Amino acid sequence: MRISELSAKSRVAIPTIKYYLREGMLHQGEQTAATRAEYDETHLRRLRMIRALLEVGRLSVASIKQVIAAVEDESLPTHRVLGTAHYALSPAVDPEQTEEWRSARALVDDLITELGWDITEEAPTRDELAQTIVRMRQLGLSVDLAPYVEAARRLVAEVEMDAIPFDGPRDAAVEAMVLGTVLYGRVLDTLRRMAHESESARRLTP
């Protein structure tokens, strides 16, 4: 397909596609003339992944380049590729040099060990959860995470991971993982707020 058709199918503007080509985020098409190139389904799939990372994941161009580099590195197992995308989705957290922080981080590390979860030491989610626990304790909220752990485990193991096409191209797997992580996360949060409203009405409305 020509670039105009690629733009129409992907819903990405031609100038944006050319920018991705210049930045090396999108691989070059097959040159058929001095000013013409042909593109195929691999370009369409890559554009879908970039859109997912940019529009849904809200990643910077620099972070997207890191994910693309991992996708294109055939020496990396798919687990590492998905991990690169997962880590890019995590917000930056600066560890606090306080006893509160150390206690919260120890709780997170102990929880991971107790669950037998395979989480790397450098996973940004460790510090992200520790920061949340610090704030919860400061506000006097309960830090009983057991119900949330079980809900997360079941959702991921029994539903979300099955939706990722591991037997296909790796950029399609990354796209599915990003969309699932972010959008299903929003669905879960929205449903919880709806459940709060309903339960409040049940308990407090005559």
Side-chain angles (χ1 to χ4, degrees):
M1 71 186 89
R2 297 179 62 178
I3 195 169
S4 57
E5 186 179 357
L6 179 64
S7 174
K9 285 188 173 183
S10 66
R11 291 184 293 176
V12 177
I14 291 177
T16 303
I17 292 175
K18 290 182 176 179
Y19 169 74
Y20 292 157
L21 288 165
R22 287 195 305 272
E23 290 295 311
M25 299 165 69
L26 183 66
H27 46 293
Q28 296 294 324
E30 182 182 353
Q31 207 73 28
T32 58
T35 58
R36 182 181 299 176
E38 288 288 327
Y39 303 90
D40 57 27
E41 289 298 316
T42 64
H43 296 89
L44 192 57
R45 191 166 54 242
R46 175 60 55 82
L47 285 173
R48 284 199 298 259
M49 186 190 76
I50 293 172
R51 285 191 65 192
L53 292 169
L54 185 65
E55 297 173 10
V56 179
R58 304 289 185 184
L59 300 190
S60 65
V61 169
S63 294
I64 293 174
K65 285 183 176 181
Q66 290 180 344
V67 175
I68 289 173
V71 168
E72 294 180 341
D73 185 350
E74 295 295 336
S75 69
L76 289 180
T78 302
H79 174 65
R80 286 283 302 278
V81 175
L82 293 180
T84 300
H86 253 306
Y87 290 5
L89 289 172
S90 298
V93 174
D94 292 324
E96 301 168 17
Q97 302 304 313
T98 64
E99 186 55 41
E100 278 185 312
W101 176 274
R102 286 186 286 272
S103 173
R105 178 55 197 263
L107 175 62
V108 172
D109 294 341
D110 290 345
L111 176 65
I112 291 171
T113 300
E114 179 184 333
L115 293 170
W117 283 2
D118 188 0
I119 311 293
T120 62
E121 285 295 328
E122 66 271 17
T125 45
R126 289 179 182 261
D127 284 342
E128 186 180 354
L129 183 55
Q131 184 183 61
T132 303
I133 290 171
V134 168
R135 300 296 175 258
M136 291 171 72
R137 284 174 167 171
Q138 290 173 342
L139 294 169
L141 298 176
S142 168
V143 191
D144 178 13
L145 303 182
Y148 301 94
V149 166
E150 180 58 19
R153 186 200 63 76
R154 290 191 60 188
L155 279 172
V156 172
E158 299 176 15
V159 180
E160 295 182 10
M161 289 298 282
D162 289 340
I164 299 176
F166 293 115
D167 55 349
R170 299 203 300 183
D171 42 8
V174 169
E175 178 197 10
M177 186 277 294
V178 171
L179 292 175
T181 298
V182 177
L183 296 182
Y184 283 120
R186 291 177 188 168
V187 167
L188 179 60
D189 182 60
T190 304
L191 287 171
R192 282 181 61 249
R193 284 184 276 120
M194 293 170 71
H196 269 283
E197 179 180 349
S198 178
E199 184 64 13
S200 174
R202 187 185 72 81
R203 296 189 183 196
L204 304 177
T205 302

